[in-house]
Amino acid sequence: MDAELSTRLVSRTSAAVQASPHTMRRTHTIVVLVALIAAACAAARGPDPRAMSGFLDDYSRLRPGGAGELPFVYRNPDAHWNEYSKVLLEPVTLWRSGRHSLDPIAETDLLRLVSDFEAAIRRRLGDGFQLVDQASPGTLRLRLAITEARASDPALDVLTAVGDARADRSDGALSPELGQFVAAAAIEGEIRDAQTNALLAQGIDRRRKDSPAITTWAQLDRALEFWVDRTCARLEARTGRR
């Protein structure tokens, strides 16, 4: 009798805590919805500013780009792009976490990288815009940097190529350390009205993880030219310059 009662009590207790199939389905639906909402919110967020270099003044506007866009992008919805026909290009810089963070890479290689990038941009921009060195009506101010640093690092160092760093024009192999840097680095950029300083657009780009490795200077120069051509073509299309 006692054993029988005990069995019945256990069975009743188990039945009491067992949810009905309808309740289980509803709970599962709620869990799935919450997970989808959380994933959507995470996807809509921009990059963590602590993981970025600090080159851009404000990363909070950035959102993941769509198909064919940069990984993170912002465009001012009130910008009148067709009013611009000139570009003031600031010197391209390289941001690193302290002067010694890239010690394994020869500084001449870093200078060549920055110099080649800036030269490619100037050549390509000149196809569709008037390049100027003074702000005036209808002028875009373009800032670009190659970054491999975080704003939270104890020290930051900014490297700028002065003049044309073309002492060694070998198209041979990159050092393994420079190849790793190119794979990990980001390109950060912003476009402002040169007169009012109003922010028109900004973005962050980096190589996809499944991209083929860049192992020679010739490959690196082609990759820079490709990036510059694509970016300038977008700017030309937005401003009606083509």
Side-chain angles (χ1 to χ4, degrees):
M1 178 72 175
D2 289 344
E4 191 177 288
L5 177 60
S6 173
T7 301
R8 284 202 300 272
L9 288 174
V10 170
S11 298
R12 287 186 60 194
T13 303
S14 299
V17 299
Q18 184 178 6
S20 68
H22 175 72
T23 302
M24 290 180 67
R25 285 196 299 271
R26 184 172 61 186
T27 302
H28 176 72
T29 301
I30 293 172
V31 169
V32 171
L33 286 174
V34 170
L36 289 173
I37 292 170
C41 291
R45 285 198 294 264
D48 183 349
R50 296 169 298 180
M52 304 311 300
S53 68
F55 172 74
L56 299 178
D57 295 331
D58 184 359
Y59 292 86
S60 65
R61 298 182 181 89
L62 291 167
R63 292 294 180 267
E69 293 187 318
L70 302 179
F72 293 102
V73 67
Y74 164 78
R75 282 188 290 271
N76 186 333
D78 298 322
H80 300 290
W81 290 99
N82 58 356
E83 296 179 357
Y84 298 97
S85 60
K86 294 171 284 188
V87 175
L88 195 165
L89 176 64
E90 293 193 359
V92 174
T93 54
L94 186 149
W95 289 50
R96 55 187 173 183
S97 297
R99 185 174 296 275
H100 301 294
S101 66
L102 299 178
D103 273 357
I105 305 174
E107 189 148 295
T108 53
D109 285 350
L110 295 176
L111 288 170
R112 175 177 172 179
L113 170 61
V114 174
S115 177
D116 284 1
F117 189 28
E118 182 171 332
I121 295 165
R122 287 192 177 278
R123 284 195 302 271
R124 184 60 181 80
L125 280 174
D127 292 341
F129 298 90
Q130 179 186 353
L131 293 176
V132 299
D133 56 12
Q134 296 291 328
S136 62
T139 302
L140 299 169
R141 182 185 299 273
L142 176 59
R143 298 177 62 236
L144 290 167
I146 302 168
T147 64
E148 192 6 283
R150 295 169 304 214
S152 57
D153 290 333
L156 291 175
D157 182 54
V158 179
L159 184 149
T160 303
V162 179
D164 193 7
R166 292 174 175 263
D168 177 14
R169 303 312 300 162
S170 167
D171 288 334
L174 301 180
S175 69
E177 294 81 8
L178 181 58
Q180 291 170 7
F181 169 77
V182 169
I187 296 175
E188 301 184 36
E190 69 173 21
I191 303 174
R192 293 181 179 269
D193 184 293
Q195 277 202 309
T196 67
N197 205 40
L199 181 63
L200 304 176
Q202 60 183 12
I204 299 174
D205 199 5
R206 62 174 72 246
R207 284 178 60 78
R208 289 168 37 181
K209 292 183 179 179
D210 59 350
S211 298
I214 293 178
T215 59
T216 68
W217 280 105
Q219 291 174 343
L220 179 54
D221 285 340
R222 284 195 296 270
L224 291 176
E225 294 281 357
F226 175 80
W227 188 93
V228 167
D229 186 64
R230 183 181 59 177
T231 302
C232 291
R234 288 172 176 165
L235 185 56
E236 288 170 348
R238 191 162 293 276
T239 55
R241 307 304 295 174
R242 69 162 192 174

